[in-house]
Amino acid sequence: MSRPIRPAHHYPSGVFAALDLGTSKVCCLVAKLDGATGQPRVVGIGHQASKGLKSGIVVDLEAAIETVLGALNAAERMAGETVEKVYVNLSGGWPHSETVAVEIPLNGESVADRDLKRVLSQGIPHFNEEERSLIHSIPVGFSVDGHRGIRDPRGMLADVLGCDIHIVTADHAAVRNIKAVLERCHLDTAEMVVSPYAAGLATLVEDEQELGVTVIDMGGGTTTLSVFFEGEVVFTDMVPVGGFHVTNDIARGLSTSLTDAERMKTLHGHALGSPLDASEVLEVPLMGEEQDGSGNTIPKSFLVSIIQPRIEETFEYVRSRLEAGGFDKLAGRRVVLTGGASQLPGVRELGQMVLDKRIRLARPTPLPGLAEATAGPAFATTIGLLLYAGRERHEAVLGTESDRNSMFGRLGAWFRDNF
């Protein structure tokens, strides 16, 4: 499977694509901007079972290329468009999140655009460029002469201008290998977005982003988390455990194939036990046996006893990462849970017990043209990538400055493009 090499030309401002590289699936969505609303309208959909990717990193280059091409070609055929650039997610590569506070002297002068650029550039020394790649640089708040909470300081008189910058970096090798896959598919990277940021954009309402919330995106190979506060993402992290690990535990524990383990998890799995589980009997096909009805039988309680510890461990990892980052209290007791692995019955209730927080199961924002099969929690990251891309495209095409997120987005884009 291959694509012809095309001569480079300017990417159409109204057409863009999102590519979600996951452990269980690779999904590509092609969209156009609605000129009236600025919202993406999906015109092409393609997704494939994932090969060559594990826990958010490339483990087999050729297999990953074949998978991406399959999803991309399907989306292009449906859209009747040729994709040149994609907004792609990053869920592996050990992303590191850090908020740094920087200041510059202004000596009583009014704050101008050049001063914003100068203060943002002060965040450069805070990460090792030889080992890490810059993914995001997001200004999350300004201060003027020590007075915090300033959303847009331009035009204000100040002796000292300060800024809190949320910097997200990732391992060079992981980023380079993802870009290598895209280059072999003749694609340019419009922008790389960490998965929990995209998932939050797809699932959160405005009040949640302002008041503070933790987003947990439970995928196939990783569980990613982010904290939003005062309208911006202020923390991101990942845990290298996901739904595939549950499937693998079932396959090992019951001596059955991964396919049968996934089927049992989907049809009979539960993250919490009930008194009735001991009386419900399940048939387990043995690995390598012909499908002739022979196999072991187990009580459902045994299946639950395999699933529950892994899900519980995942939430304990999430709790420890929030505590280590100092963000376990900032988001309050609000948690939004999404991703394909979150759909297992009982996950929400178990998460509430482990985290001691209120959890809302979230579906992503519905978009025009999006099929029902690709509108569930498993596609939250893909839809979030489209929303992220659509916001940037809308601002570029229409020149809007509708909210502080738009301003911060442009400042972050300037920082990323110039350093």
Side-chain angles (χ1 to χ4, degrees):
M1 188 184 298
S2 62
R3 305 174 76 215
I5 300 177
R6 300 174 297 274
H9 58 79
H10 183 66
Y11 187 66
S13 60
V15 180
F16 51 96
L19 182 66
D20 179 4
L21 303 177
T23 300
S24 58
K25 70 178 187 314
V26 169
C27 180
C28 181
L29 297 179
V30 180
K32 294 182 178 180
L33 282 180
D34 186 311
T37 65
Q39 283 290 317
R41 177 171 55 85
V42 178
V43 295
I45 302 170
H47 57 92
Q48 295 252 317
S50 185
K51 295 179 181 179
L53 297 159
K54 185 177 181 181
S55 297
I57 62 174
V58 178
V59 295
D60 185 328
L61 189 70
E62 295 301 325
I65 291 169
E66 182 179 354
T67 304
V68 169
L69 285 174
L72 180 64
N73 288 338
E76 285 182 327
R77 285 195 300 270
M78 180 176 174
E81 300 281 353
T82 299
V83 173
E84 302 284 350
K85 294 184 180 180
V86 291
Y87 289 80
V88 63
N89 69 313
L90 178 70
S91 58
W94 295 106
H96 176 70
S97 178
E98 181 182 7
T99 301
V100 298
V102 295
E103 291 183 341
I104 59 169
L106 289 186
N107 303 318
E109 297 182 1
S110 63
V111 180
D113 284 342
R114 66 178 181 274
D115 301 313
L116 295 183
K117 295 177 180 180
R118 190 154 60 96
V119 73
L120 287 173
S121 69
Q122 300 302 306
I124 296 173
H126 293 272
F127 73 97
N128 187 338
E129 295 184 37
E130 295 181 359
E131 299 177 359
R132 310 286 293 177
S133 293
L134 178 66
I135 307 301
H136 295 292
S137 55
I138 306 168
V140 296
F142 293 96
S143 65
V144 171
D145 296 337
H147 298 286
R148 306 179 68 82
I150 307 296
R151 295 195 169 186
D152 187 351
R154 287 176 291 187
M156 300 178 70
L157 299 177
D159 290 318
V160 177
L161 173 65
C163 182
D164 292 332
I165 306 173
H166 178 205
I167 294 176
V168 182
T169 62
D171 180 67
H172 261 327
V175 173
R176 282 199 306 264
N177 285 327
I178 288 175
K179 289 185 176 180
V181 170
L182 299 183
E183 288 169 3
R184 289 280 299 276
C185 297
H186 311 300
L187 291 171
D188 292 327
T189 304
E191 197 163 328
M192 195 169 282
V193 183
V194 289
S195 295
Y197 187 10
L201 294 177
T203 57
L204 297 181
V205 298
E206 186 176 345
D207 283 349
E208 286 175 327
Q209 294 189 38
E210 284 291 331
L211 296 174
V213 65
T214 300
V215 180
I216 303 174
D217 182 7
M218 302 184 73
T222 61
T223 295
T224 59
L225 57 143
S226 59
V227 175
F228 283 74
F229 186 68
E230 294 186 346
E232 274 297 343
V233 59
V234 295
F235 176 75
T236 64
D237 209 333
M238 63 84 68
V239 174
V241 181
F244 176 76
H245 295 81
V246 177
T247 302
N248 195 58
D249 289 345
I250 295 172
R252 289 176 178 272
L254 302 182
S255 298
T256 191
S257 67
L258 289 171
T259 301
D260 287 324
E262 180 67 26
R263 181 183 62 82
M264 293 193 69
K265 182 182 75 173
T266 303
L267 296 178
H268 307 291
H270 206 288
L272 285 174
S274 102
L276 300 177
D277 290 343
S279 60
E280 184 175 347
V281 177
L282 307 176
E283 185 172 318
V284 183
L286 293 178
M287 192 182 308
E289 294 278 341
E290 296 291 334
Q291 298 294 327
D292 58 358
S294 63
N296 291 336
T297 57
I298 60 164
K300 182 179 177 181
S301 58
F302 187 67
L303 176 63
V304 174
S305 72
I306 296 175
I307 295 173
Q308 182 172 341
R310 180 66 80 171
I311 301 295
E312 192 170 342
E313 176 194 44
T314 304
F315 283 118
E316 287 173 349
Y317 275 133
V318 168
R319 183 181 62 195
S320 66
R321 296 295 171 85
L322 288 170
E323 291 173 349
F327 288 91
D328 54 320
K329 305 298 183 186
L330 182 66
R333 300 187 67 238
R334 289 173 292 273
V335 172
V336 168
L337 187 63
T338 192
S342 71
Q343 298 177 81
L344 184 70
V347 167
R348 172 187 174 183
E349 292 77 9
L350 182 56
Q352 289 183 148
M353 289 191 292
V354 174
L355 299 175
D356 190 28
K357 296 177 183 287
R358 292 187 296 271
I359 293 182
R360 174 174 73 87
L361 280 174
R363 294 177 64 87
T365 303
L367 293 178
L370 195 63
E372 180 64 27
T374 54
F379 294 87
T381 296
T382 325
I383 294 170
L385 287 170
L386 271 191
L387 292 172
Y388 183 97
R391 186 172 68 185
E392 288 201 341
R393 295 284 178 166
H394 183 60
E395 291 163 4
V397 174
L398 302 181
T400 62
E401 294 190 34
S402 58
D403 57 27
R404 63 181 288 266
N405 287 338
S406 300
M407 177 196 69
F408 281 3
R410 280 193 296 278
L411 293 176
W414 176 91
F415 182 92
R416 186 176 49 255
D417 292 341
N418 288 274
F419 294 92

